[in-house]
Amino acid sequence: MLLKENANVVLLLRVRMKFCKEHQQYVKSVGKTIPHSMEIVNMKVQIDNREPERLIKYWTKKLEEDGHEVEVLQLPVGDIVLQVWIFSPADHNANHQRPAIVFFFGGGWNNGNPSHFVRHCEYLANRGMVAIVADYRVYSRHGVNVNSCVEDAKSAIRWIRKESPRLGIDPDRIAASGGSAGGHLAAATATLPGYDDPNEDLSISSKPNVLVLFNPAVIIGPVSGQDESTTEALSEISNRLGAEPGSLSPYHHIKPGICPTIIFHGIADTTVPFKHVELFCKKMHEQGNRCELIGYKGARHGFFNFGRDENAPFIDTVNKMDAFLVSLGYLKGAPESLWITQ
């Protein structure tokens, strides 16, 4: 998961995350708070030449205000490692073999940041999974196309599987998740051949064992008999792919043996048409794969995010995600009551 581009400044934040008071109001069960531990592994951030000192001060202040301890180092220019945040259950240690899930943020492969799925990670860590948010290169910060984003996503899963003994993770129970472009990346890791970093140990699989997708972009290439909405959606990203469209399209690479999948999607989504996920799920079923599609009437793109519509879609999708993971043995029992606060 190494970056190929150079930068004027590289920022390393060594952070020991603390359990914030505000989160004590966020996750409660049977009248008591259940804390979780959190660590940051190799949090090296590429900073461009636009006011690097201001950016360093901003992130340092933000983390310290949240009660975290931060050490800042400036490293030489060169290849750097993308950051990975790991949320672990409170009693977790390396001797455990817990299921894990890695989230990829949305943003059209152009922008976005790993904070997108922090709330989901907090929830799942308290349910007993190791939950991870991973960074990847995007066009606005690194000038890369979609093919490089896919490479980074595959590298993230390969890294998690490689480090699973140290992290207390079961290497055969790793789920991939994401929203929009991040949903595409998660689906791509499960379906697309190639796009692996040749400098990595390719004997370690980059394929997840489960997919949890939120309004994912699953069709990137042309589809026979496609409607006008599909054509328009594809034309908007055609010049940013960096490869032949079909080679980056999860739909085009569905075959028997793709891992169990659940998709949450707004039926009124105009960014990623609902028809796309319908076609994806239909083809999954035709190939003998498990795929559950949950559509939300009137919901648009990003409907599931924390803070939208008084959190009703967030709570509903998290509950259904929980039930899906229980059905696979990744979680146990019914979820405990949660109090959600802003």
Side-chain angles (χ1 to χ4, degrees):
M1 203 154 65
L2 296 176
L3 299 187
K4 276 66 175 180
E5 292 79 14
N6 290 330
N8 291 345
V9 178
V10 176
L11 168 66
L12 171 62
L13 300 181
R14 292 179 177 173
V15 185
R16 173 59 60 186
M17 309 304 276
K18 295 181 178 179
F19 188 64
C20 302
K21 290 182 179 179
E22 66 179 80
H23 296 157
Q24 293 177 349
Q25 297 177 354
Y26 168 60
V27 181
K28 292 187 176 182
S29 172
V30 197
K32 65 179 181 180
T33 297
I34 303 178
H36 64 271
S37 62
M38 179 178 176
E39 63 173 324
I40 288 186
V41 179
N42 291 334
M43 186 180 172
K44 298 179 184 178
V45 185
Q46 186 178 29
I47 304 296
D48 61 22
N49 58 8
R50 293 172 296 177
E51 302 182 77
E53 295 298 330
R54 180 184 65 81
L55 292 171
I56 291 170
K57 289 179 181 178
Y58 170 80
W59 283 108
T60 302
K61 181 179 179 182
K62 183 175 179 60
L63 287 164
E64 288 177 340
E65 285 177 348
D66 286 343
H68 309 316
E69 297 174 358
V70 183
E71 178 184 353
V72 181
L73 301 175
Q74 292 191 34
L75 305 180
V77 173
D79 286 345
I80 64 171
V81 180
L82 294 168
Q83 62 256 41
V84 176
W85 287 261
I86 301 177
F87 295 70
S88 300
D91 60 347
H92 185 65
N93 61 59
N95 294 322
H96 292 150
Q97 276 211 323
R98 295 182 186 268
I101 185 167
V102 57
F103 290 91
F104 300 102
F105 58 85
W109 309 279
N110 180 58
N111 49 42
N113 66 78
S115 66
H116 187 180
F117 283 100
V118 164
R119 298 289 190 172
H120 293 78
C121 286
E122 290 175 332
Y123 174 87
L124 290 170
N126 280 283
R127 283 285 280 134
M129 289 184 73
V130 176
I132 301 167
V133 283
D135 199 4
Y136 62 90
R137 290 172 288 173
V138 293
Y139 179 77
S140 64
R141 293 194 293 273
H142 309 106
V144 298
N145 290 318
V146 175
N147 59 331
S148 296
C149 303
V150 172
E151 180 181 303
D152 289 348
K154 289 196 169 192
S155 291
I157 293 176
R158 181 174 289 113
W159 181 87
I160 293 166
R161 188 163 275 125
K162 177 183 177 182
E163 297 295 326
S164 60
R166 181 177 68 82
L167 299 174
I169 290 172
D170 184 344
D172 296 320
R173 290 193 294 168
I174 298 174
S177 182
S180 192
H184 164 262
L185 297 183
T189 63
T191 56
L192 302 188
Y195 299 107
D196 293 290
D197 186 335
N199 297 311
E200 296 175 352
D201 182 355
L202 300 186
S203 68
I204 301 174
S205 174
S206 62
K207 290 184 179 295
N209 306 103
V210 173
L211 289 176
V212 179
L213 308 177
F214 299 88
N215 48 234
V218 290
I219 294 181
I220 304 298
V223 177
S224 177
Q226 64 192 18
D227 57 19
E228 184 177 343
S229 65
T230 300
T231 303
E232 291 176 355
L234 295 177
S235 66
E236 292 179 3
I237 63 168
S238 60
N239 63 338
R240 295 168 41 214
L241 297 179
E244 189 274 321
S247 73
L248 290 166
S249 179
Y251 170 84
H252 289 75
H253 295 273
I254 294 173
K255 60 184 181 180
I258 302 298
C259 61
T261 301
I262 189 168
I263 302 174
F264 303 97
H265 210 99
I267 295 175
D269 192 330
T270 57
T271 302
V272 179
F274 188 71
K275 181 67 174 178
H276 286 202
V277 289
E278 286 185 311
L279 290 172
F280 181 90
C281 229
K282 181 176 183 290
K283 190 172 181 180
M284 284 281 281
H285 293 158
E286 290 171 349
Q287 295 297 314
N289 302 317
R290 178 178 175 181
C291 185
E292 299 181 17
L293 172 58
I294 303 175
Y296 289 79
K297 186 177 181 180
R300 296 186 177 276
H301 201 65
F303 74 100
F304 66 92
N305 286 311
F306 184 85
R308 297 277 290 266
D309 297 324
E310 299 182 338
N311 284 323
F314 170 81
I315 294 171
D316 190 72
T317 53
V318 166
N319 283 337
K320 288 182 171 62
M321 171 184 69
D322 188 294
F324 177 71
L325 293 171
V326 167
S327 75
L328 296 169
Y330 280 51
L331 297 177
K332 296 180 179 180
E336 296 166 326
S337 299
L338 297 181
W339 294 357
I340 307 297
T341 69
Q342 296 288 354

